[in-house]
Amino acid sequence: MSNKYEEYILKKLLDKYNKSILSKRESSRNIKISMPFDSKNMRDYVSSDSYLYIDAINEAIDNLVNKNFISVEKDKYYNYIEKVTLNIENLKNIYKYLNLDSFEDEMSKINSVISEYYGKCELVNWFCNWVTEMCNSHHSTKKYFSTVEELREILFILYKVENQ
């Protein structure tokens, strides 16, 4: 990856995407996932000392545009970046570029672990059903377990508790 700004921009946009209706289902509306370049999102770009960061930010933007990960809207008079928009059709490549699992990949891993343990006992089945329901409704499970290994440990512990 070229610089920290590429990762920062893509992760901010992916976070917005994952919280949007687009990540949960198709939408008939033309919804775009964008991030304004303002003091909240890109302080280094708009601060009084932005001259220190502008070259690295512009390089990151150029790289992301060339990879077709984002599109850019610039002010027509001053040519500064107003906002960047995620190219949703390229999500799979973006996740791969960031070395992250997509939602679908994560769900596949979770379902694999659930299928290992489902049917072993009533408590495990209840928890597996709950996790499946959370995933199907696109709710995050990160506050309960952050990796599939942690999920596997929870299921193992539940199994041991019930079969003690």
Side-chain angles (χ1 to χ4, degrees):
M1 188 164 307
S2 171
N3 64 40
K4 68 179 182 175
Y5 293 109
E6 286 182 41
E7 183 176 358
Y8 173 79
I9 291 165
L10 289 175
K11 283 185 175 180
K12 284 282 270 192
L13 289 167
L14 286 176
D15 187 48
K16 287 182 87 168
Y17 170 78
N18 288 327
K19 292 177 182 175
S20 77
I21 194 169
L22 288 175
S23 71
K24 297 163 185 48
R25 59 182 160 88
E26 293 288 322
S27 175
S28 58
R29 297 182 349 208
N30 187 17
I31 299 173
K32 294 185 178 188
I33 305 300
S34 299
M35 179 180 77
F37 264 45
D38 56 16
S39 58
K40 177 183 172 196
N41 294 302
M42 279 301 286
R43 190 189 66 73
D44 288 352
Y45 190 76
V46 297
S47 66
S48 60
D49 61 349
S50 65
Y51 65 92
L52 298 170
Y53 313 105
I54 201 78
D55 289 339
I57 294 170
N58 286 333
E59 179 185 342
I61 294 296
D62 290 344
N63 288 339
L64 295 176
V65 168
N66 289 337
K67 288 176 175 45
N68 196 30
F69 291 167
I70 63 168
S71 58
V72 178
E73 287 184 35
K74 292 186 175 186
D75 180 86
K76 63 182 176 180
Y77 298 111
Y78 301 107
N79 202 34
Y80 62 83
I81 299 169
E82 291 183 332
K83 71 178 177 178
V84 294
T85 302
L86 183 66
N87 289 342
I88 295 171
E89 65 279 354
N90 214 351
L91 280 175
K92 191 172 271 190
N93 291 330
I94 294 170
Y95 278 107
K96 188 175 181 180
Y97 183 70
L98 292 172
N99 200 24
L100 296 174
D101 285 335
S102 67
F103 180 78
E104 292 79 19
D105 294 338
E106 191 68 27
M107 291 307 102
S108 176
K109 289 178 181 180
I110 287 172
N111 286 330
S112 176
V113 171
I114 285 175
S115 67
E116 280 179 43
Y117 281 88
Y118 196 82
K120 292 196 176 207
C121 65
E122 196 173 312
L123 189 57
V124 167
N125 289 352
W126 175 85
F127 190 74
C128 288
N129 288 333
W130 177 81
V131 170
T132 300
E133 186 178 312
M134 291 288 287
C135 293
N136 288 341
S137 59
H138 290 269
H139 288 97
S140 175
T141 56
K142 295 292 182 201
K143 63 183 172 183
Y144 308 106
F145 57 89
S146 56
T147 65
V148 290
E149 288 76 25
E150 287 180 10
L151 171 61
R152 185 175 276 116
E153 287 178 26
I154 291 169
L155 291 170
F156 179 76
I157 291 168
L158 291 174
Y159 173 73
K160 288 296 188 183
V161 165
E162 188 165 319
N163 291 293
Q164 204 170 25

